[in-house]
Amino acid sequence: MIEVFGVRHHGPGSAQAVREGLARLRPDAILIEGPPEADALVRFAAGCEPPVALLAHVPGDPSRSAFWPFAVFSPEWQAILYGTRHGVPIRFCDLPAAHLLAPEGGGERGVRDPIGELAAAAGHDDPERWWEDVVEHRPGAAPQFEVIGEAMAALREGYTPDAFEARREAYMRRVLRATVKAGHERIAVVCGAWHVPALAGPPPPVKADDALLRGLPRVKAALAWVPWTYERLAIRSGYGAGVGSPGWYHHLFTVADRPVERWLGAAGAVLREEGLAVSSAHVIEAVRLAGSLAALRGRPLPGLGEVTEAARAVLCEGDELRVALIQRRMVVGDRLGHVGDDAPLVPLQRDLREQQRHLRLHPAAREEPAAGEERAAGEERAAGEERAAREERAVTVVRELELDLRKTLDLGRSHLLHRLRLLGVPWGVPGEARGKGTFRESWRLEWRPEFDLALIESAALGTTVETAATRRVLDLAPTGRNLGELAATVEKCLLAELPDALPGVLAALSERAALDADITHLMTALPAIVRAHRYGDVRGTPAEGLAAVAHSMLDRVRAGLPAALPGLSGQAAGAMLAQVDGVHAAVDLLGDPAARERWLATLLAICDVSGAHGLVEGRLTRILLDAGALADAERRLARATSRGGGPARAAAWIEGFLAGGGLLLVHDARLLDLVDAWMSGLSCEQFTEVLPLLRRTFGGFAVPERRAIGERVRSGAGGARPEREIDERRAAVAGRTVLTILGRASG
């Protein structure tokens, strides 16, 4: 006896019907639509907590991979659970992943929407809503599998499957024949409803199916169970057979009674967690509204549309931001699955799991309670520890993590997160640390299912996260495109504590630095090298050789900088300005007084020789002034703003000189007087020419700084500038214009 259950992938009604159908049929073999290579992995499903997925990939080619996700409300998952619990053999019967992942594997693939065609035949313009009304929203009422099969057979009349689909169905029939030949008498087949006629009807000759499958391209494919998320299961994640509301479907499948009441009650709780006022009266009224909407629309149960509209009108009071919160937290959901510890893992995955356990840094961990709070939980927490752990793993948490690198645990966490980033697993994204000090780090943690694929692809690099990251760095170091990339790699090595990789990267860096004649490359790389040197000190990571490399690069920058500055255009001068600032900050961070003196001497020599762009010369003058290495700033400003240089160059010089803030003009009346006098002496045409530069300069100051500068100018900048006589005739014209604008003109 063969019974084919035509289902909708990830449908709660279909999942309930399959569970009931299997209990009635009591099969001795179960066939499920999926890659046959996964047959050996079925026994590990009992230790998994959905959502999970079967990952198929081609070793060495991460671009070729495929996922078969399963949620608790997936009919296929319920069939797997039935088989594992009752000892029933389970086989997957779709086209093997070895063919699917091969170039042009299976042939051309067409697009057909059978549910849409059935809905249109029934007079409905929304296929999803029609299917939900007929199947998914009828809890406890099994769909008529025979009727669904007949409907699909009617749709397929006169239809010729494309090559890909024909080969899939040919392979399904091959597996079905082999199962019958093996002596099984009650066979259950769980597949998409569209394939029912191909499996339940009269089969074509065996030779015809064999001819379709002969000569298919194939590759070596490996499969594994990996965690999945409801966000990835949603249609917007790009998975073709996904659903737009996995959280809602999970609710329908797992809630035994009053699903609408419980859903809206949970929505009210979500809003209250955000500090919004939602009472039980709100929930009651929302339930009534959802029921009324369903009755008016002739629906058997309020669907997602009705409960969303009720929540929008009553719980959210029309606020779309609140509706979006419910959509994100409940309709899609943030559940993260878990793969059991007994499931096969590559050594790299297992090492990561051990480190996560050791560092108490699980992919779905909540914030750790304080010691006092943990003790206060007492026996109540101990009793529910296993349940809480399971629930903890089931919820994806975007976690903000603050690390203090002076603590051993936090330092280990930092090393792990940095190593994973080198392996292409950005589980943690660095942020701006709160507070001061280089011993602080801030991270934003969010685990994504595709990270497992990245780990599997990196398994050939090493058996541990550290060795794999080391190998990745050493493989990339010789191929670094420029000096800046190599310097950044050195910094990453220290952040990740990869002492075995550091000598090789430093050797490549030294060789590249000795051969690179581009001064801009050296200036770009130097700050990273100095930061790496400082990180080595703070983290206790040995970084021998970095200081020597940094000093050598600084000497070459000093030697090449004077020749690199003349002739720069405005855009190139701006880029050079940023690089000069970076080198200057690196010199201060280096902590070598002699190197600092040599650097300042180089800048002073450049300022003494005319030829640099005004923006750069002004900035160098300001750096020297702030460093206490300049005693004649007023003379240099006066020279830069003299008529001989032209207003455009003077404006650029002032922009560079005042870059970073206007407090200098607030506290130095002499400099303010010089700038004011220069601006006052400009003609109308000259002022119009330099206005964009001046606006950019003063617009970058803080509002209090601009206000203080204006007050000092109004008061005469300390009395250094003599008062000018007022032209009463010209002032009268301006006064009448102002009165006219204000509506107070006297005529």
Side-chain angles (χ1 to χ4, degrees), residues 364 366 381 383-394:
R366 291 192 291 262
R381 173 169 179 174
E385 183 177 356
E386 182 177 356
R387 179 187 58 80
R390 292 171 66 88
E391 187 65 22
E392 184 179 57
R393 289 195 299 266

mmCIF file of all heavy atoms in Angstrom, residues 364 366 381 383-394:
data_model
loop_
_atom_site.group_PDB
_atom_site.id
_atom_site.type_symbol
_atom_site.label_atom_id
_atom_site.label_comp_id
_atom_site.label_asym_id
_atom_site.label_seq_id
_atom_site.Cartn_x
_atom_site.Cartn_y
_atom_site.Cartn_z
ATOM 1 N N ALA A 364 23.138 31.999 20.956
ATOM 2 C CA ALA A 364 21.833 32.552 21.315
ATOM 3 C C ALA A 364 21.747 32.834 22.801
ATOM 4 O O ALA A 364 20.727 32.651 23.430
ATOM 5 C CB ALA A 364 20.717 31.593 20.911
ATOM 6 N N ARG A 366 21.480 34.746 26.326
ATOM 7 C CA ARG A 366 20.965 35.969 26.913
ATOM 8 C C ARG A 366 22.040 36.580 27.786
ATOM 9 O O ARG A 366 23.068 35.971 28.075
ATOM 10 C CB ARG A 366 19.725 35.658 27.761
ATOM 11 C CG ARG A 366 18.528 35.224 26.951
ATOM 12 C CD ARG A 366 17.295 35.225 27.822
ATOM 13 N NE ARG A 366 17.347 34.188 28.823
ATOM 14 C CZ ARG A 366 16.755 33.011 28.707
ATOM 15 N NH1 ARG A 366 16.090 32.739 27.615
ATOM 16 N NH2 ARG A 366 16.834 32.113 29.654
ATOM 17 N N ARG A 381 15.119 27.901 39.769
ATOM 18 C CA ARG A 381 15.889 27.912 38.524
ATOM 19 C C ARG A 381 16.497 26.544 38.260
ATOM 20 O O ARG A 381 16.543 26.098 37.114
ATOM 21 C CB ARG A 381 16.985 28.975 38.598
ATOM 22 C CG ARG A 381 17.922 28.904 37.391
ATOM 23 C CD ARG A 381 18.821 30.087 37.314
ATOM 24 N NE ARG A 381 19.704 29.971 36.163
ATOM 25 C CZ ARG A 381 20.528 30.910 35.757
ATOM 26 N NH1 ARG A 381 20.582 32.054 36.393
ATOM 27 N NH2 ARG A 381 21.304 30.731 34.709
ATOM 28 N N ALA A 383 15.339 23.696 38.986
ATOM 29 C CA ALA A 383 14.318 22.769 38.519
ATOM 30 C C ALA A 383 14.010 22.971 37.039
ATOM 31 O O ALA A 383 13.732 22.025 36.313
ATOM 32 C CB ALA A 383 13.040 22.930 39.341
ATOM 33 N N GLY A 384 14.061 24.219 36.575
ATOM 34 C CA GLY A 384 13.725 24.486 35.179
ATOM 35 C C GLY A 384 14.930 24.762 34.309
ATOM 36 O O GLY A 384 14.796 25.380 33.253
ATOM 37 N N GLU A 385 16.105 24.326 34.739
ATOM 38 C CA GLU A 385 17.334 24.670 34.021
ATOM 39 C C GLU A 385 17.343 24.117 32.601
ATOM 40 O O GLU A 385 17.672 24.821 31.651
ATOM 41 C CB GLU A 385 18.536 24.150 34.787
ATOM 42 C CG GLU A 385 19.862 24.516 34.144
ATOM 43 C CD GLU A 385 21.036 24.042 34.963
ATOM 44 O OE1 GLU A 385 20.814 23.504 36.068
ATOM 45 O OE2 GLU A 385 22.168 24.195 34.495
ATOM 46 N N GLU A 386 16.955 22.853 32.448
ATOM 47 C CA GLU A 386 16.996 22.255 31.115
ATOM 48 C C GLU A 386 15.993 22.921 30.186
ATOM 49 O O GLU A 386 16.294 23.238 29.036
ATOM 50 C CB GLU A 386 16.698 20.757 31.206
ATOM 51 C CG GLU A 386 16.783 20.069 29.845
ATOM 52 C CD GLU A 386 16.568 18.576 29.962
ATOM 53 O OE1 GLU A 386 16.424 18.091 31.100
ATOM 54 O OE2 GLU A 386 16.525 17.919 28.924
ATOM 55 N N ARG A 387 14.778 23.171 30.697
ATOM 56 C CA ARG A 387 13.774 23.823 29.868
ATOM 57 C C ARG A 387 14.231 25.216 29.459
ATOM 58 O O ARG A 387 14.081 25.629 28.312
ATOM 59 C CB ARG A 387 12.447 23.911 30.620
ATOM 60 C CG ARG A 387 11.346 24.599 29.817
ATOM 61 C CD ARG A 387 10.113 24.806 30.677
ATOM 62 N NE ARG A 387 10.423 25.600 31.852
ATOM 63 C CZ ARG A 387 10.525 26.926 31.841
ATOM 64 N NH1 ARG A 387 10.360 27.587 30.724
ATOM 65 N NH2 ARG A 387 10.813 27.591 32.946
ATOM 66 N N ALA A 388 14.805 25.957 30.386
ATOM 67 C CA ALA A 388 15.268 27.311 30.077
ATOM 68 C C ALA A 388 16.392 27.285 29.046
ATOM 69 O O ALA A 388 16.460 28.142 28.165
ATOM 70 C CB ALA A 388 15.742 28.008 31.347
ATOM 71 N N ALA A 389 17.275 26.283 29.162
ATOM 72 C CA ALA A 389 18.379 26.196 28.216
ATOM 73 C C ALA A 389 17.869 25.927 26.805
ATOM 74 O O ALA A 389 18.356 26.506 25.832
ATOM 75 C CB ALA A 389 19.356 25.095 28.647
ATOM 76 N N ARG A 390 16.872 25.055 26.707
ATOM 77 C CA ARG A 390 16.307 24.761 25.394
ATOM 78 C C ARG A 390 15.638 25.996 24.794
ATOM 79 O O ARG A 390 15.774 26.289 23.622
ATOM 80 C CB ARG A 390 15.297 23.610 25.498
ATOM 81 C CG ARG A 390 15.922 22.267 25.831
ATOM 82 C CD ARG A 390 14.845 21.240 26.133
ATOM 83 N NE ARG A 390 14.050 20.951 24.964
ATOM 84 C CZ ARG A 390 14.350 20.006 24.066
ATOM 85 N NH1 ARG A 390 15.445 19.292 24.221
ATOM 86 N NH2 ARG A 390 13.576 19.789 23.033
ATOM 87 N N GLU A 391 14.904 26.699 25.633
ATOM 88 C CA GLU A 391 14.237 27.907 25.142
ATOM 89 C C GLU A 391 15.255 28.978 24.785
ATOM 90 O O GLU A 391 15.092 29.718 23.824
ATOM 91 C CB GLU A 391 13.276 28.433 26.210
ATOM 92 C CG GLU A 391 12.405 29.585 25.742
ATOM 93 C CD GLU A 391 11.443 29.196 24.641
ATOM 94 O OE1 GLU A 391 11.147 27.991 24.516
ATOM 95 O OE2 GLU A 391 11.006 30.089 23.909
ATOM 96 N N GLU A 392 16.348 29.018 25.548
ATOM 97 C CA GLU A 392 17.392 29.999 25.287
ATOM 98 C C GLU A 392 18.017 29.775 23.920
ATOM 99 O O GLU A 392 18.258 30.712 23.170
ATOM 100 C CB GLU A 392 18.447 29.908 26.379
ATOM 101 C CG GLU A 392 19.543 30.959 26.271
ATOM 102 C CD GLU A 392 20.542 30.833 27.384
ATOM 103 O OE1 GLU A 392 21.129 29.746 27.531
ATOM 104 O OE2 GLU A 392 20.727 31.798 28.110
ATOM 105 N N ARG A 393 18.235 28.529 23.588
ATOM 106 C CA ARG A 393 18.834 28.230 22.300
ATOM 107 C C ARG A 393 17.872 28.524 21.161
ATOM 108 O O ARG A 393 18.284 28.714 20.035
ATOM 109 C CB ARG A 393 19.261 26.756 22.239
ATOM 110 C CG ARG A 393 20.446 26.427 23.103
ATOM 111 C CD ARG A 393 21.021 25.084 22.701
ATOM 112 N NE ARG A 393 20.069 24.007 22.853
ATOM 113 C CZ ARG A 393 19.987 23.245 23.935
ATOM 114 N NH1 ARG A 393 20.775 23.469 24.966
ATOM 115 N NH2 ARG A 393 19.114 22.274 24.005
ATOM 116 N N ALA A 394 16.568 28.557 21.455
ATOM 117 C CA ALA A 394 15.579 28.697 20.405
ATOM 118 C C ALA A 394 15.336 30.135 19.992
ATOM 119 O O ALA A 394 14.603 30.383 19.055
ATOM 120 C CB ALA A 394 14.254 28.072 20.856
#
